[in-house]
Amino acid sequence: MAEPNLTISVREFLAMSNWSNRPALVALPSDSTVKDALDALSTHNILSIPVVVPTDPHPDPSVPDFSGQYLGTVDAGQLLLHLMRLVRSTSEPQVEAVAAEANVQEWELLQEAVNKLFSMRLVDLCGNDTAILFQHWLDKSVMELVQGGFLKAEDAGVVWRDMSPAHRVVLCTEQSRIDMVISQSDVVRFLAEHPSCFEPGVLDKSLEELNFLAAAPEVIPEVVAVAQSVTAIAAFALMEAKGVSGLAVLGAEGALVGSVSASDLRGMGQGEFGLLMSVEDFMLVNKEEVACHAVLPSDTFDCLLQTFKEKRVHRMYVVNEEHSPVAVITLTDILRFLSRACLASQQ
């Protein structure tokens, strides 16, 4: 695959993406609770929210204050991790694997863990899956942002707290105040909307022809799946144990029938949530669309990009002729694939 043309500056990328017309950034003060964060994530249909230390807090905690110092980001993955820790600390060891017809005691133990999570302050939860960069990065290329920001290249000139890929990049002023947040989704959406980034013919090649899945098998994640009959809390427990943020949901014949992800926890703050339901019922109650979008190895690279853009998802399952999942492609995988193509062209 030829090198993708991502030499335009981040500043140009923002202009071409009509960034000025985007909805206002949502943030919460550091003394907010997890319940506040869940309500904000659900209301604004977002997966993460920046946390700031306000210099002059507004009397209404729902009004964001960006004048303070950026502290970190809270997202659904972190909430999943803390929820499972609380479940294990307040209940019997196997409570996450109880049957769908859970008894009253099991429900009360789970509710106790959820209530503890709701009361936790965001200042204690801010995570590391966000890259913090400063405004001079606006003049770097989009590929430099991909490699040095999202993928945390060792030669990016930045000291990282951990080397795992970042799902989002926060551009801050020199006073560590938020200027903007750019996500992996923003870059992939840009690629889907600007085919001129690729040489003619590349987008029409299939995933097989591009050797997409075999190019770096060590970084393409394995498919972690659950049967639709298990409880939602058991699915989330498996998610946390495997260190993944999403699971394929399989029907009786092993075909892909849906998916659950850490982002589905956003609905916890909205009353009865159903963690003791079966995954099948949980999806019907808590997801706007149960159908899981998938691609075939014979589908084109353009099909993959367009599906990510149109469905606004963060992972795509690759299925065989029986519609059983054989691989999963994340936004990070796409960025890694493009980065490898860029590096290969420079050798």
Side-chain angles (χ1 to χ4, degrees):
M1 175 179 168
E3 174 187 2
N5 181 16
L6 291 177
T7 58
I8 62 170
S9 70
V10 175
R11 198 182 301 274
E12 292 173 295
F13 159 79
L14 296 174
M16 294 171 68
S17 302
N18 295 317
W19 207 266
S20 59
N21 295 328
R22 295 241 171 161
L25 188 65
V26 179
L28 287 174
S30 54
D31 60 352
S32 302
T33 64
V34 167
K35 177 65 163 61
D36 297 327
L38 286 167
D39 290 344
L41 293 174
S42 179
T43 299
H44 298 282
N45 193 27
I46 53 179
L47 300 181
S48 64
I49 191 163
V51 179
V52 297
V53 181
T55 53
D56 185 19
H58 193 281
D60 181 355
S62 66
V63 177
D65 178 6
F66 298 107
S67 63
Q69 185 178 35
Y70 172 69
L71 184 64
T73 300
V74 169
D75 65 19
Q78 294 162 268
L79 300 184
L80 169 63
L81 178 63
H82 286 281
L83 173 62
M84 296 317 305
R85 286 175 178 172
L86 289 169
V87 165
R88 292 189 176 97
S89 68
T90 60
S91 59
E92 294 298 322
Q94 299 302 315
V95 71
E96 63 264 39
V98 295
E101 298 81 12
N103 60 39
V104 173
Q105 181 182 11
E106 289 165 340
W107 184 90
E108 289 177 344
L109 290 171
L110 182 57
Q111 192 61 46
E112 180 184 349
V114 170
N115 289 339
K116 286 183 178 179
L117 180 68
F118 282 177
S119 64
M120 295 179 71
R121 295 194 309 153
L122 301 188
V123 68
D124 301 318
L125 296 180
C126 291
N128 300 334
D129 77 331
T130 300
I132 305 172
L133 304 175
F134 294 95
Q135 289 175 318
H136 67 270
W137 277 73
L138 289 171
D139 297 315
K140 292 182 179 287
S141 72
V142 175
M143 182 54 75
E144 286 177 302
L145 181 70
V146 167
Q147 294 174 335
F150 294 112
L151 302 182
K152 298 183 178 178
E154 293 183 5
D155 58 355
V158 181
V159 178
W160 305 113
R161 286 182 287 182
D162 71 86
M163 295 304 296
S164 58
H167 294 94
R168 61 198 68 83
V169 169
V170 174
L171 290 181
C172 291
T173 67
E174 296 302 324
Q175 292 75 38
S176 295
R177 294 175 180 172
I178 302 176
D179 188 18
M180 66 185 67
V181 179
I182 304 174
S183 69
Q184 292 184 352
S185 293
D186 295 323
V187 176
V188 172
R189 188 177 306 116
F190 178 86
L191 292 169
E193 294 173 348
H194 295 84
S196 60
C197 290
F198 302 93
E199 289 191 357
V202 169
L203 290 174
D204 295 327
K205 290 186 176 181
S206 70
L207 299 179
E208 286 177 318
E209 291 175 304
L210 291 173
N211 206 24
F212 191 99
L213 299 177
E218 75 279 2
V219 296
I220 300 292
E222 66 171 327
V223 176
V224 183
V226 292
Q228 60 184 348
S229 59
V230 306
T231 61
I233 190 62
F236 286 120
L238 177 63
M239 214 179 291
E240 185 258 343
K242 292 288 188 179
V244 298
S245 57
L247 302 175
V249 179
L250 307 182
E253 303 300 320
L256 183 70
V257 297
S259 67
V260 289
S261 69
S263 62
D264 295 325
L265 290 175
R266 290 177 294 180
M268 274 202 306
Q270 309 299 313
E272 181 60 37
F273 186 59
L275 287 174
L276 295 178
M277 292 178 177
S278 69
V279 168
E280 182 179 18
D281 291 338
F282 177 87
M283 291 191 298
L284 291 172
V285 171
N286 294 287
K287 297 176 75 73
E288 293 182 2
E289 186 177 7
V290 173
C292 186
H293 307 287
V295 292
L296 295 166
S298 57
D299 284 332
T300 65
F301 188 47
D302 184 55
C303 174
L304 178 71
L305 293 178
Q306 296 301 330
T307 308
F308 267 112
K309 172 197 166 187
E310 294 167 8
K311 301 304 179 182
R312 305 181 73 86
V313 293
H314 291 77
R315 67 187 54 79
M316 193 82 59
Y317 290 98
V318 182
V319 296
N320 58 22
E321 294 180 353
E322 289 74 37
H323 207 68
S324 297
V326 295
V328 56
I329 299 173
T330 67
L331 295 173
T332 300
D333 296 324
I334 292 179
L335 297 186
R336 280 179 173 143
F337 185 72
L338 298 176
S339 175
R340 288 196 303 272
C342 179
L343 293 174
S345 69
Q346 297 171 357
Q347 294 177 352

CSV table of all heavy atoms in Angstrom, one decimal, residues 69-97:
chain,number,residue,atom,x,y,z
A,69,GLN,N,-7.2,24.4,34.9
A,69,GLN,CA,-6.2,23.5,34.4
A,69,GLN,C,-6.8,22.1,34.0
A,69,GLN,O,-7.6,21.6,34.8
A,69,GLN,CB,-5.1,23.3,35.4
A,69,GLN,CG,-3.9,22.5,34.9
A,69,GLN,CD,-2.8,22.3,35.9
A,69,GLN,OE1,-3.0,22.3,37.1
A,69,GLN,NE2,-1.6,22.3,35.4
A,70,TYR,N,-6.4,21.6,32.9
A,70,TYR,CA,-6.9,20.3,32.5
A,70,TYR,C,-6.3,19.2,33.4
A,70,TYR,O,-5.1,19.2,33.6
A,70,TYR,CB,-6.5,20.0,31.0
A,70,TYR,CG,-6.7,18.6,30.6
A,70,TYR,CD1,-8.0,18.2,30.4
A,70,TYR,CD2,-5.7,17.8,30.3
A,70,TYR,CE1,-8.3,16.9,30.0
A,70,TYR,CE2,-5.9,16.5,29.9
A,70,TYR,CZ,-7.2,16.0,29.7
A,70,TYR,OH,-7.4,14.7,29.3
A,71,LEU,N,-7.1,18.4,34.0
A,71,LEU,CA,-6.7,17.4,34.9
A,71,LEU,C,-6.6,16.0,34.3
A,71,LEU,O,-5.7,15.3,34.6
A,71,LEU,CB,-7.6,17.4,36.1
A,71,LEU,CG,-7.3,16.4,37.3
A,71,LEU,CD1,-6.0,16.9,37.9
A,71,LEU,CD2,-8.4,16.4,38.3
A,72,GLY,N,-7.5,15.7,33.4
A,72,GLY,CA,-7.5,14.4,32.8
A,72,GLY,C,-8.8,14.1,32.1
A,72,GLY,O,-9.7,15.0,32.0
A,73,THR,N,-9.0,12.9,31.7
A,73,THR,CA,-10.3,12.5,31.1
A,73,THR,C,-10.9,11.3,31.7
A,73,THR,O,-10.2,10.4,32.2
A,73,THR,CB,-10.0,12.2,29.6
A,73,THR,OG1,-9.5,13.4,29.0
A,73,THR,CG2,-11.3,11.8,28.9
A,74,VAL,N,-12.2,11.3,31.8
A,74,VAL,CA,-12.9,10.1,32.4
A,74,VAL,C,-13.7,9.5,31.2
A,74,VAL,O,-14.4,10.2,30.5
A,74,VAL,CB,-13.9,10.5,33.5
A,74,VAL,CG1,-14.8,9.4,33.9
A,74,VAL,CG2,-13.1,10.9,34.7
A,75,ASP,N,-13.6,8.2,31.0
A,75,ASP,CA,-14.3,7.6,30.0
A,75,ASP,C,-15.0,6.3,30.5
A,75,ASP,O,-14.7,5.8,31.6
A,75,ASP,CB,-13.5,7.3,28.7
A,75,ASP,CG,-12.3,6.3,29.0
A,75,ASP,OD1,-12.4,5.5,30.0
A,75,ASP,OD2,-11.4,6.3,28.2
A,76,ALA,N,-15.8,5.6,29.6
A,76,ALA,CA,-16.5,4.5,30.0
A,76,ALA,C,-15.6,3.3,30.4
A,76,ALA,O,-16.0,2.5,31.3
A,76,ALA,CB,-17.5,4.0,28.9
A,77,GLY,N,-14.5,3.2,29.8
A,77,GLY,CA,-13.5,2.1,30.1
A,77,GLY,C,-13.1,2.2,31.5
A,77,GLY,O,-13.0,1.1,32.2
A,78,GLN,N,-12.7,3.4,32.0
A,78,GLN,CA,-12.3,3.5,33.4
A,78,GLN,C,-13.4,3.2,34.3
A,78,GLN,O,-13.2,2.6,35.4
A,78,GLN,CB,-11.8,5.0,33.6
A,78,GLN,CG,-10.6,5.3,32.8
A,78,GLN,CD,-10.5,6.8,32.7
A,78,GLN,OE1,-10.9,7.5,31.8
A,78,GLN,NE2,-9.8,7.4,33.7
A,79,LEU,N,-14.7,3.6,34.0
A,79,LEU,CA,-15.8,3.4,34.9
A,79,LEU,C,-16.1,1.9,35.0
A,79,LEU,O,-16.4,1.4,36.0
A,79,LEU,CB,-17.0,4.1,34.3
A,79,LEU,CG,-16.9,5.6,34.2
A,79,LEU,CD1,-18.2,6.2,33.8
A,79,LEU,CD2,-16.5,6.2,35.6
A,80,LEU,N,-15.9,1.2,33.8
A,80,LEU,CA,-16.0,-0.3,33.9
A,80,LEU,C,-15.0,-0.9,34.9
A,80,LEU,O,-15.3,-1.8,35.7
A,80,LEU,CB,-15.8,-0.9,32.5
A,80,LEU,CG,-15.6,-2.4,32.4
A,80,LEU,CD1,-16.9,-3.1,32.9
A,80,LEU,CD2,-15.3,-2.8,31.0
A,81,LEU,N,-13.7,-0.5,34.8
A,81,LEU,CA,-12.7,-1.0,35.7
A,81,LEU,C,-13.1,-0.8,37.1
A,81,LEU,O,-13.0,-1.7,37.9
A,81,LEU,CB,-11.4,-0.3,35.3
A,81,LEU,CG,-10.2,-0.7,36.2
A,81,LEU,CD1,-9.8,-2.2,36.0
A,81,LEU,CD2,-9.0,0.1,35.8
A,82,HIS,N,-13.5,0.4,37.5
A,82,HIS,CA,-13.8,0.7,38.9
A,82,HIS,C,-15.1,0.0,39.3
A,82,HIS,O,-15.2,-0.4,40.5
A,82,HIS,CB,-13.9,2.2,39.1
A,82,HIS,CG,-12.6,2.9,39.0
A,82,HIS,ND1,-11.8,2.9,40.1
A,82,HIS,CD2,-12.0,3.6,38.1
A,82,HIS,CE1,-10.7,3.6,39.8
A,82,HIS,NE2,-10.8,4.0,38.6
A,83,LEU,N,-16.1,-0.1,38.4
A,83,LEU,CA,-17.3,-0.9,38.8
A,83,LEU,C,-17.0,-2.3,39.1
A,83,LEU,O,-17.4,-2.8,40.2
A,83,LEU,CB,-18.3,-0.8,37.6
A,83,LEU,CG,-19.5,-1.7,37.8
A,83,LEU,CD1,-20.3,-1.2,39.0
A,83,LEU,CD2,-20.4,-1.7,36.6
A,84,MET,N,-16.1,-3.0,38.3
A,84,MET,CA,-15.8,-4.4,38.6
A,84,MET,C,-15.0,-4.5,39.9
A,84,MET,O,-15.2,-5.5,40.7
A,84,MET,CB,-15.1,-5.0,37.4
A,84,MET,CG,-15.9,-5.1,36.1
A,84,MET,SD,-17.6,-5.6,36.4
A,84,MET,CE,-17.4,-7.2,37.2
A,85,ARG,N,-14.1,-3.6,40.2
A,85,ARG,CA,-13.4,-3.6,41.5
A,85,ARG,C,-14.4,-3.5,42.6
A,85,ARG,O,-14.2,-4.2,43.6
A,85,ARG,CB,-12.4,-2.5,41.5
A,85,ARG,CG,-11.2,-2.7,40.6
A,85,ARG,CD,-10.3,-1.5,40.6
A,85,ARG,NE,-9.1,-1.7,39.8
A,85,ARG,CZ,-8.2,-0.8,39.5
A,85,ARG,NH1,-8.4,0.4,40.0
A,85,ARG,NH2,-7.1,-1.1,38.8
A,86,LEU,N,-15.3,-2.6,42.5
A,86,LEU,CA,-16.3,-2.4,43.6
A,86,LEU,C,-17.2,-3.7,43.7
A,86,LEU,O,-17.6,-4.1,44.8
A,86,LEU,CB,-17.1,-1.2,43.3
A,86,LEU,CG,-16.4,0.1,43.5
A,86,LEU,CD1,-17.2,1.3,43.0
A,86,LEU,CD2,-16.1,0.4,45.0
A,87,VAL,N,-17.6,-4.3,42.6
A,87,VAL,CA,-18.4,-5.5,42.6
A,87,VAL,C,-17.7,-6.6,43.4
A,87,VAL,O,-18.3,-7.2,44.3
A,87,VAL,CB,-18.8,-5.9,41.2
A,87,VAL,CG1,-19.3,-7.4,41.2
A,87,VAL,CG2,-19.8,-5.0,40.6
A,88,ARG,N,-16.4,-6.7,43.1
A,88,ARG,CA,-15.7,-7.8,43.8
A,88,ARG,C,-15.4,-7.5,45.3
A,88,ARG,O,-15.3,-8.4,46.1
A,88,ARG,CB,-14.4,-8.0,43.1
A,88,ARG,CG,-14.6,-8.6,41.7
A,88,ARG,CD,-13.3,-9.1,41.1
A,88,ARG,NE,-13.5,-9.7,39.8
A,88,ARG,CZ,-13.4,-9.1,38.6
A,88,ARG,NH1,-13.1,-7.8,38.6
A,88,ARG,NH2,-13.7,-9.7,37.5
A,89,SER,N,-15.4,-6.2,45.6
A,89,SER,CA,-15.1,-5.9,47.0
A,89,SER,C,-16.3,-5.9,47.9
A,89,SER,O,-16.2,-5.9,49.1
A,89,SER,CB,-14.4,-4.5,47.1
A,89,SER,OG,-15.4,-3.5,46.7
A,90,THR,N,-17.5,-5.8,47.3
A,90,THR,CA,-18.7,-5.7,48.1
A,90,THR,C,-19.6,-7.0,48.0
A,90,THR,O,-20.7,-7.1,48.6
A,90,THR,CB,-19.6,-4.5,47.6
A,90,THR,OG1,-19.9,-4.7,46.2
A,90,THR,CG2,-18.8,-3.3,47.8
A,91,SER,N,-19.2,-8.0,47.2
A,91,SER,CA,-20.1,-9.1,47.0
A,91,SER,C,-19.3,-10.4,47.0
A,91,SER,O,-18.1,-10.5,47.1
A,91,SER,CB,-20.8,-8.9,45.6
A,91,SER,OG,-19.9,-8.8,44.6
A,92,GLU,N,-20.1,-11.5,46.8
A,92,GLU,CA,-19.5,-12.8,46.7
A,92,GLU,C,-18.6,-12.9,45.5
A,92,GLU,O,-18.9,-12.2,44.5
A,92,GLU,CB,-20.6,-13.9,46.7
A,92,GLU,CG,-21.4,-14.0,47.9
A,92,GLU,CD,-20.6,-14.3,49.1
A,92,GLU,OE1,-19.6,-15.2,49.0
A,92,GLU,OE2,-20.8,-13.8,50.2
A,93,PRO,N,-17.6,-13.7,45.5
A,93,PRO,CA,-16.7,-13.8,44.3
A,93,PRO,C,-17.3,-14.1,43.0
A,93,PRO,O,-16.8,-13.6,42.0
A,93,PRO,CB,-15.7,-15.0,44.7
A,93,PRO,CG,-15.8,-15.0,46.2
A,93,PRO,CD,-17.2,-14.6,46.6
A,94,GLN,N,-18.4,-14.8,43.0
A,94,GLN,CA,-19.0,-15.2,41.7
A,94,GLN,C,-20.3,-14.3,41.4
A,94,GLN,O,-21.0,-14.7,40.5
A,94,GLN,CB,-19.5,-16.7,41.7
A,94,GLN,CG,-18.3,-17.6,42.0
A,94,GLN,CD,-17.2,-17.5,40.9
A,94,GLN,OE1,-17.6,-17.4,39.7
A,94,GLN,NE2,-16.0,-17.4,41.3
A,95,VAL,N,-20.5,-13.2,42.0
A,95,VAL,CA,-21.7,-12.4,41.7
A,95,VAL,C,-21.7,-11.9,40.3
A,95,VAL,O,-22.8,-11.8,39.7
A,95,VAL,CB,-21.8,-11.2,42.7
A,95,VAL,CG1,-20.8,-10.1,42.4
A,95,VAL,CG2,-23.2,-10.6,42.6
A,96,GLU,N,-20.5,-11.7,39.6
A,96,GLU,CA,-20.6,-11.3,38.3
A,96,GLU,C,-21.0,-12.4,37.3
A,96,GLU,O,-21.3,-12.1,36.1
A,96,GLU,CB,-19.2,-10.7,37.8
A,96,GLU,CG,-18.1,-11.7,37.8
A,96,GLU,CD,-17.3,-11.6,39.1
A,96,GLU,OE1,-17.9,-11.5,40.2
A,96,GLU,OE2,-16.0,-11.7,39.0
A,97,ALA,N,-21.1,-13.6,37.8
A,97,ALA,CA,-21.5,-14.7,36.9
A,97,ALA,C,-22.8,-15.3,37.3
A,97,ALA,O,-23.1,-16.4,36.9
A,97,ALA,CB,-20.4,-15.8,36.9
